[in-house]
Amino acid sequence: MELIVVKLIFAFLTSFLFTLYLVPLFSSIAFKLGVLDVPDGRIKKHEKPIPYLGGVAVYVGFILSLALTLSFDNRLIFLLVGATLLLFIGLIDDLINLKPYQKFAGQFIAAFCLVRSGLYLKESFFLNNFWGIPLSMLWILSIVNAFNLIDVMDGLACSAAASAGITFFIFACLSQQWQVALLLASFIGPVVAFLWYNKPPASIYLGDAGSLFIGGVLAIVPFLQTWSLHNPFAFIAPAIILAIPLLEVGTLIVVRTYKGIPFYKPSPDHFSIYLRQNGWTKFNILLYVFSLSLGLFLSSLAIVLNKVSFLQFVLLSIIFCFIWFFFLLINFRLPVKFVRSS
């Protein structure tokens, strides 16, 4: 046990320190190559161009730590291949601005490769491969795009990713899945290190490369873990843990559809933008996200350990959704008439 604790600490520290060193380096490269996020006055309201490529630094720190701490088996190799493919799709989008269907096609190929390699939902007692594979595809694509969409404010995507990663790490330790725990320690380290540079006011952004990579890892990690030892419904725990980015996707689809905007088109309808328009500071929003993440951890723990019934879970979900939408709806004024966004 002492040896695994040392390995976990080493995995976290190496990935953290590697990334802490690499971020300024990739920031300099981004400035030289012109890979910058330029303000548009509508959604991107930062004062000056900010370099992308932060996600590449996170990825490199993650890979270097894994190389030093973890034995590569087939599942890990397939995860890394899929996550790397998502990173490159995002990087291409950062460089040349892919069309939505091109970006989605790349994500679909990556997700298909992952499920074909055996990384899909198998624990559900009522799902067989016929349903498990397509639902797992939908899950991967939803989480990947959720983190891509939530990355619209300094520190937000990293805060949500760090919270989810720590929760998955705790569950891996509780079930003594030490390989998965080492993987997550190597993932949490670079995310936390990058948050140092990405916290308000951010000096570098993840870019699509980083948000797709982070979303890919967090989408696949639940398939490596055991959830249903005590409760046959516990396979829903990952959806609880990742409820904040998933709610962001759902809210955006509903609001954009109401406004007559295709759901894949950008618009200033993100929850963080609504809150900021109504007086919330960026730090208050991040604190709000961390607070909700703590509640989600406790709820998922209760589900996994079978401490709540299915009805109680439904009630908890309703309460959480009420809290989520309460802060949005009190500030959200949909127009009676609207003009289609250009």
Side-chain angles (χ1 to χ4, degrees), residues 54-124:
V56 181
V58 172
Y59 171 82
V60 174
F62 173 67
I63 293 295
L64 289 175
S65 177
L66 286 183
L68 294 173
T69 60
L70 200 58
S71 299
F72 283 47
D73 60 16
N74 286 340
R75 294 191 308 167
L76 178 58
I77 291 173
F78 287 130
L79 182 149
L80 292 179
V81 169
T84 302
L85 181 55
L86 288 168
L87 177 94
F88 277 109
I89 293 165
L91 185 58
I92 294 170
D93 191 39
D94 289 334
L95 295 173
I96 64 173
N97 197 17
L98 294 172
K99 290 182 170 61
Y101 75 88
Q102 294 172 324
K103 189 174 176 181
F104 181 80
Q107 295 171 2
F108 185 89
I109 292 170
F112 182 76
C113 291
L114 286 165
V115 298
R116 286 291 295 166
S117 68
L119 293 170
Y120 60 89
L121 178 64
K122 305 182 185 74
E123 284 195 60
S124 171

Side-chain angles (χ1 to χ4, degrees), residues 29-335:
I29 293 172
F31 273 114
K32 290 179 180 178
L33 297 178
V35 188
L36 305 173
D37 189 26
V38 180
D40 61 9
R42 183 166 172 259
I43 299 175
K44 303 176 180 182
K45 295 185 178 182
H46 40 283
E47 296 180 358
K48 59 183 180 179
I50 303 292
Y52 283 140
L53 298 187
V56 181
V58 172
Y59 171 82
V60 174
F62 173 67
I63 293 295
L64 289 175
S65 177
L66 286 183
L68 294 173
T69 60
L70 200 58
S71 299
F72 283 47
D73 60 16
N74 286 340
R75 294 191 308 167
L76 178 58
I77 291 173
F78 287 130
L79 182 149
L80 292 179
V81 169
T84 302
L85 181 55
L86 288 168
L87 177 94
F88 277 109
I89 293 165
L91 185 58
I92 294 170
D93 191 39
D94 289 334
L95 295 173
I96 64 173
N97 197 17
L98 294 172
K99 290 182 170 61
Y101 75 88
Q102 294 172 324
K103 189 174 176 181
F104 181 80
Q107 295 171 2
F108 185 89
I109 292 170
F112 182 76
C113 291
L114 286 165
V115 298
R116 286 291 295 166
S117 68
L119 293 170
Y120 60 89
L121 178 64
K122 305 182 185 74
E123 284 195 60
S124 171
F125 63 90
F126 64 86
L127 289 179
N128 53 29
N129 288 357
F130 180 79
W131 293 108
I133 290 177
L135 285 177
S136 298
M137 287 277 294
L138 178 62
W139 165 262
I140 295 170
L141 292 170
S142 297
I143 298 301
V144 166
N145 282 287
F147 275 94
N148 192 212
L149 289 170
I150 206 173
D151 189 26
V152 293
M153 191 194 86
D154 299 352
L156 184 57
C158 284
S159 296
S163 299
I166 291 169
T167 301
F168 285 133
F169 173 80
I170 292 171
F171 279 117
C173 291
L174 289 174
S175 58
Q176 297 186 354
Q177 296 174 284
W178 302 121
Q179 291 288 92
V180 179
L182 279 169
L183 170 72
L184 286 162
S186 297
F187 173 78
I188 296 165
V191 173
V192 173
F194 182 76
L195 186 57
W196 176 258
Y197 298 96
N198 189 234
K199 68 181 187 301
S203 60
I204 187 171
Y205 290 157
L206 281 171
D208 280 4
S211 61
L212 295 187
F213 162 70
I214 285 174
V217 173
L218 290 174
I220 294 302
V221 161
F223 299 148
L224 304 177
Q225 298 183 248
T226 302
W227 299 99
S228 302
L229 291 177
H230 305 288
N231 183 354
F233 289 101
F235 66 89
I236 62 176
I240 300 171
I241 296 167
L242 294 168
I244 292 175
L246 286 173
L247 279 170
E248 169 80 327
V249 173
T251 304
L252 283 171
I253 290 174
V254 170
V255 174
R256 287 175 180 174
T257 300
Y258 180 89
K259 290 185 173 182
I261 305 171
F263 69 89
Y264 53 84
K265 293 285 188 180
S267 67
D269 297 306
H270 302 265
F271 81 91
S272 58
I273 293 178
Y274 280 126
L275 295 179
R276 286 182 61 200
Q277 288 174 342
N278 287 274
W280 288 54
T281 67
K282 292 180 180 180
F283 282 104
N284 284 341
I285 294 172
L286 295 181
L287 182 61
Y288 173 55
V289 168
F290 278 122
S291 300
L292 290 180
S293 297
L294 177 61
L296 292 170
F297 162 67
L298 295 174
S299 299
S300 60
L301 183 64
I303 289 290
V304 170
L305 298 180
N306 203 20
K307 299 299 182 181
V308 297
S309 66
F310 185 75
L311 177 60
Q312 290 171 325
F313 161 72
V314 172
L315 292 174
L316 284 172
S317 300
I318 292 172
I319 292 171
F320 178 81
C321 289
F322 174 80
I323 294 172
W324 174 265
F325 286 108
F326 173 78
F327 287 104
L328 297 183
L329 292 176
I330 59 175
N331 300 312
F332 180 45
R333 299 175 180 85
L334 282 172

